[in-house]
Amino acid sequence: MPPGGLKPPVSWIGLRPLLLRLHFYAGIVIGPFLLVAAVTGLLYTATPQIEAVVYRHELEVAPQGDPEPLSAQVAAARTAVPEGTLFSVTPATGRTDSTRVVFDKPGLPDNYTQTAFVNPYTSEVLGQERTFAGWWLPVRAWVDGLHRHLNLGEPGRVYSEIAASWLWVEILGGLALWLTAPRARKGLRRVLVPQGGAKGRRRTMSWHAVVGLWASVGLLGLSVTGMTWSVHAGASIGEIQSALAGPGPAISTSLPGSAAEKKPGTGSGAANDVGIDAVVASAHAAGLRGVLNVSPPGEEQAAYVVEENTCSWPERHDTVAVDPTTGKVTDRTNWADYPLLAKMTSWGIDAHMGLLFGLANQIVLALLALALIGMILWGYRMWWLRRPTRADGFALGRAPARGAWRRLPGRFLAPAVLLTAVIGYYVPLFGLPLLAFLVIDLVIGVRRRRIERTEVSA
């Protein structure tokens, strides 16, 4: 019962055993997926600090007066990567930051680019690294791939989507079971504080449930944001988001009239290109600040595009298009004009990646990962403690009693089944494993009843 001794509705009396059985089986089967996601996620939280050490030579410079023109830095990078096509430039943001010049290069895997790191004060190329999505350095790209798909490519994404699709189910189910447990009548302390005492299943359950209670909001957030970029559920979430919020503002890179003649082979714009320094100056004059990402004109865009890429709070994601022949801003999109749902999605994803609040964000993510690891291990310990101690040979823990759904009234069961089916349709890696659970459980139940009838008749 919940604190205060309120009597639960009649339907909950039948639902609780059913939920307990689902929570038990899902915890056992989905637990390994969640454990891998938590361990790899914990490793991911430390990648900014690992990068700062491993790539210090490329990332940090000593201030030496005034920086050289950005065009000189890009020219030095072009010399270092002669076979590359200029993709984007990120000017040094702080006094000790290097400039990143990113190139498309033949022979690289999909979504990978070659990045040259340039000292803005000397135009010296400090080094080159293969980067993922134009930004992630090799260490973070490898850990990110390990967390998302075990570095197995698209097939491996099934694991992370299963984990994200079931984490919210386990959290909400566990909260419902814990907050309506008989011990909840004995005061909030038993609900909010892990109980001590002798080692055993009761103390283990207390730690499992209380840690889950405190971590529930953060873990639910990770589950939802994890599903937004999953293969199957992500597509459904994107469709729902577009239907509710509508499309966000899009930058136009077309120019009035006919564009001037391009320089052959450079991909850097028109023959009378004003240059990247003037483009960045125009972006600054338009109010863009923080981390800037400059994309040159190319086959698919006539203008330079300058995007703010400041993911820490407050986020800055304004974008301007700049005419390469005049240096004037021709179009603009403002972060303030994005639909609230799109902003919330961006905030959630950046928080999931540890970017939104810097070090504090990383610490919270690490604590959530440790909490999830602890909950999973405590859950398996409870399963072990449920095993028959007098059984001959190896025995597993007993599952909660079956057949609880028969005690649910039809007026409750029918809409519950319908809602579950709808969720399973939009989140298929929740729906398909659930269907598999039900089929396997049904087969086991039929088999056991046949064995029992055979034994009785014998």
Side-chain angles (χ1 to χ4, degrees), residues 338-374:
Y338 277 75
L340 177 60
L341 191 57
K343 290 182 180 179
M344 292 176 65
T345 300
S346 177
W347 293 332
I349 290 175
D350 287 341
H352 189 126
M353 300 174 69
L355 303 174
L356 195 59
F357 299 107
L359 181 60
N361 199 160
Q362 292 176 252
I363 292 172
V364 170
L365 288 176
L367 292 175
L368 288 174
L370 289 171
L372 183 56
I373 292 169

Side-chain angles (χ1 to χ4, degrees), residues 15 24 32 45 56 95 126 130 132 169 184 208 262 290 296 317 338 346 368 385 418:
L15 180 61
F24 172 82
T45 63
R56 170 174 282 181
R95 292 277 295 168
L126 304 173
R130 191 174 73 170
F132 176 73
V169 179
H208 172 85
K262 287 186 176 182
H317 293 298
Y338 277 75
S346 177
L368 288 174
L385 293 174
L418 179 61

Side-chain angles (χ1 to χ4, degrees), residues 255 258-274 297 302 324-325:
L255 298 176
S258 59
E261 181 185 358
K262 287 186 176 182
K263 294 180 182 178
T266 65
S268 61
N272 57 341
D273 195 315
V274 296
T325 62

Side-chain angles (χ1 to χ4, degrees), residues 31-68:
F33 296 89
L34 293 173
L35 184 60
V36 172
V39 171
T40 56
L42 179 62
L43 179 61
Y44 180 84
T45 63
T47 52
Q49 286 70 34
I50 296 173
E51 283 186 337
V53 173
V54 174
Y55 306 107
R56 170 174 282 181
H57 175 71
E58 288 94 342
L59 297 176
E60 293 187 14
V61 300
Q64 305 175 34
D66 294 328
E68 292 195 354

Side-chain angles (χ1 to χ4, degrees), residues 186-408:
K186 300 179 181 179
L188 284 176
R189 180 177 176 81
R190 288 182 173 268
V191 176
L192 301 177
V193 180
Q195 299 302 300
K199 293 182 180 180
R201 185 171 177 276
R202 185 177 296 273
R203 190 176 77 168
T204 303
M205 179 187 292
S206 177
W207 278 94
H208 172 85
V210 171
V211 170
L213 175 65
W214 284 104
S216 59
V217 174
L219 292 176
L220 287 173
L222 291 178
S223 177
V224 172
T225 52
M227 285 191 292
T228 57
W229 61 62
S230 62
V231 178
H232 303 95
S236 299
I237 292 172
E239 293 175 1
I240 294 172
Q241 177 180 306
S242 297
L244 293 177
I251 194 78
S252 173
T253 61
S254 61
L255 298 176
S258 59
E261 181 185 358
K262 287 186 176 182
K263 294 180 182 178
T266 65
S268 61
N272 57 341
D273 195 315
V274 296
I276 194 169
D277 295 280
V279 169
V280 173
S282 294
H284 283 157
L288 271 63
R289 295 290 184 271
V291 180
L292 300 184
N293 190 66
V294 185
S295 300
E299 294 182 358
E300 298 182 359
Q301 63 181 52
Y304 281 92
V305 175
V306 186
E307 303 172 276
E308 290 179 319
N309 193 29
T310 302
C311 296
S312 58
W313 189 266
E315 288 191 313
R316 298 184 65 94
H317 293 298
D318 291 354
T319 303
V320 295
V322 180
D323 189 328
T325 62
T326 65
K328 293 183 179 180
V329 173
T330 59
D331 194 27
R332 177 181 187 127
T333 62
N334 296 315
W335 174 241
D337 297 331
Y338 277 75
L340 177 60
L341 191 57
K343 290 182 180 179
M344 292 176 65
T345 300
S346 177
W347 293 332
I349 290 175
D350 287 341
H352 189 126
M353 300 174 69
L355 303 174
L356 195 59
F357 299 107
L359 181 60
N361 199 160
Q362 292 176 252
I363 292 172
V364 170
L365 288 176
L367 292 175
L368 288 174
L370 289 171
L372 183 56
I373 292 169
M375 291 161 58
I376 295 167
L377 297 180
W378 286 318
Y380 279 117
R381 174 171 168 76
M382 286 190 290
W383 182 33
W384 174 252
L385 293 174
R386 286 177 65 95
R387 76 193 191 284
T389 56
R390 297 183 180 180
D392 295 332
F394 179 77
L396 296 174
R398 298 184 304 273
R402 66 186 328 111
W405 64 272
R406 297 189 184 94
R407 295 192 292 272
L408 291 172

Side-chain angles (χ1 to χ4, degrees), residues 71 81-82 92 196 280 358 362 410 424 434:
S71 57
V81 192
V280 173
Q362 292 176 252
L434 178 60

